[in-house]
Every structure is written in structure tokens, then in C-alpha cells.
Amino acid sequence: MSLKKILMALVAALPMALPVHANDRYQNRPPVMVSPDLSAPWVLQLGGVPTTQARQQRPRAGARPLFPQAQQAGRQLRPVYRNQVRQQIAQPAPVGQRRIVSQRRGLFSQQPPVQQVVARPARPAKPQIEPKFLPQMVQYDTKHKPGTVVIDTRERFLYLVMENGSAKRYGVGVGKPGFEWAGTHKVTAKKEWPDWRPPQEMIAREAEKGHFLPAHMPGGPENPLGARALYLGSTLYRIHGTNAPWSIGSGVSSGCIRMRNEDVIDLYDRVPKGASVIVI
């Protein structure tokens, strides 16, 4: 054999005898598996993870896991996705659970029941009073001297007797059935914008109906006694204004004589303390 052939044979066998160098350490690579669903959160799965297992752990397309920071920190959490949270929120809680929650809330946010204060009667559909109950001068033949106040509870009129057989007539509201009365008294006191202290009998009576009266109400437009009050003798009866002018001409009070505020102001200026009041 010639020397040339011997050298060529040695060169051909030389790579098989040489050791493996650093560049060859990447020849044995793990198989790369590409997910068939490119819309999944991960695309490449290294290390030979079976494709079927990857499909079981993969959420629906487009869903993003909540709390990714907790999952990255290594916590053992079951993946929860936004569409699942929306379904849980939309589904109402069972009746029993709602009752328990409402009872728990009541322990911390319980509020006292709202009490209805009866200070103004219910407004009717037509609040205008009849024209005959508006103030007017009328002929009034009587034996009582001028300055006397005569109240006709049946006709719902109050007459201020004047000279020459005349009187100024006002429409009034009177006691409701069971609270009518008659008698003669003097005007013992006069007050502007009086406060109101309903008697205990009235408070108890209204409480039985589910209405709660205040023990005291200062004077003002909302006060049931209105703008003026004339107190009759030592009784609890008064001639007073009202915060419900549409009730004039009706029997709605507990015995007091009520007038429109503008009318009682006019009467207040005309009737002095000590004047006689006759209720028939």
C-alpha cells in the first residue's frame, strides 16, 4: 500500500477517535412539542409533557386567570377565570343565605322604625274651600253686643258681632263627631305663632291609630295651631289658625275652632282679651 493511501485512511478514522467537544453538548436536546391550539396561554411545552394533559389544564380561549401574582409566588390555587367570576356574581344567593345575611346586617345597621307625626291632615284632591267660607260682611240680627264672638258649629261659621245688625262672618273648622261641644267662655289669652303641646289623651288616642304626635312643637307654619290662637276660659279649646286650610268648613278637629291663618290674624286684631265667645 502506498503512503498516500495510508495517510488518507488515518485522516478518515481520526474524528471517531477524538473526544466530544463543548459544541456537541447540545446535540441531545429534549423533544420540542408545539401546542395545536395557538390561542392557548402557552405555545411551547418542553420536557415531553403530553399534549392531552396540556389540553386538560388549558382554559377556554380568551380567558385570563385572576391573581397571576399569587400563582407565580407558588401558591396552590385553583385557576379562577373572569368569566367564571361573572357567572357566580350573576347567580343570586339562596333564600336561606340571604335571610342570614340580612339578619347579620340588621345587628350592625339596625335603625329605629320611622314614626309618622300627625301635624297636618291629608290634603284632599281639591284643596280649595267653598267660597261661602271666605270672610264677608253679612246681616246678623242678635241680642249680643258688638265685639261678641258667636260660633255656629252646625253651619261652620264664626260671627264677629258688629254694630247696626251686621257681623263679619268667617268659615271655620269644628270638632269631629264625638268632639262637639257648646258653651260660653271669655278670651283669657292671646298668642302669636303659639307652640303646641297636645294633651296626653290625644297622644294616646292617636297612637292607637298608628299616628305618633310630638310632645311639643314650636310655633311656625307647620304647627297645627297656625299663626294665632285665642284661648277660651280654662279649657283646652282655642280659636286658632291651621296648617291645613283646606279643612275649613269640615268637622275634623278635637274640639278647637280652626280658621285660615289670614282670617285668624284679622280676628286676632279685632277681638280683645276678655271678649265673650259663645259656641252653639
Side-chain angles (χ1 to χ4, degrees), residues 115-147:
Q115 295 184 349
Q116 180 183 3
V117 177
V118 179
R120 174 179 298 201
R123 180 190 294 266
K126 295 182 179 181
Q128 296 82 4
I129 66 173
E130 297 183 35
K132 67 177 182 178
F133 293 119
L134 296 177
Q136 52 189 295
M137 295 296 299
V138 296
Q139 293 293 322
Y140 190 70
D141 296 328
T142 180
K143 60 181 181 180
H144 302 298
K145 63 179 182 179

Side-chain angles (χ1 to χ4, degrees), residues 3 6 32 61 67 96 117 129 137 164 182 190 228 245 280:
L3 180 61
I6 294 173
V32 177
F67 317 114
V117 177
I129 66 173
M137 295 296 299
N164 301 324
K190 298 172 59 178
R228 302 289 189 272
I280 59 176

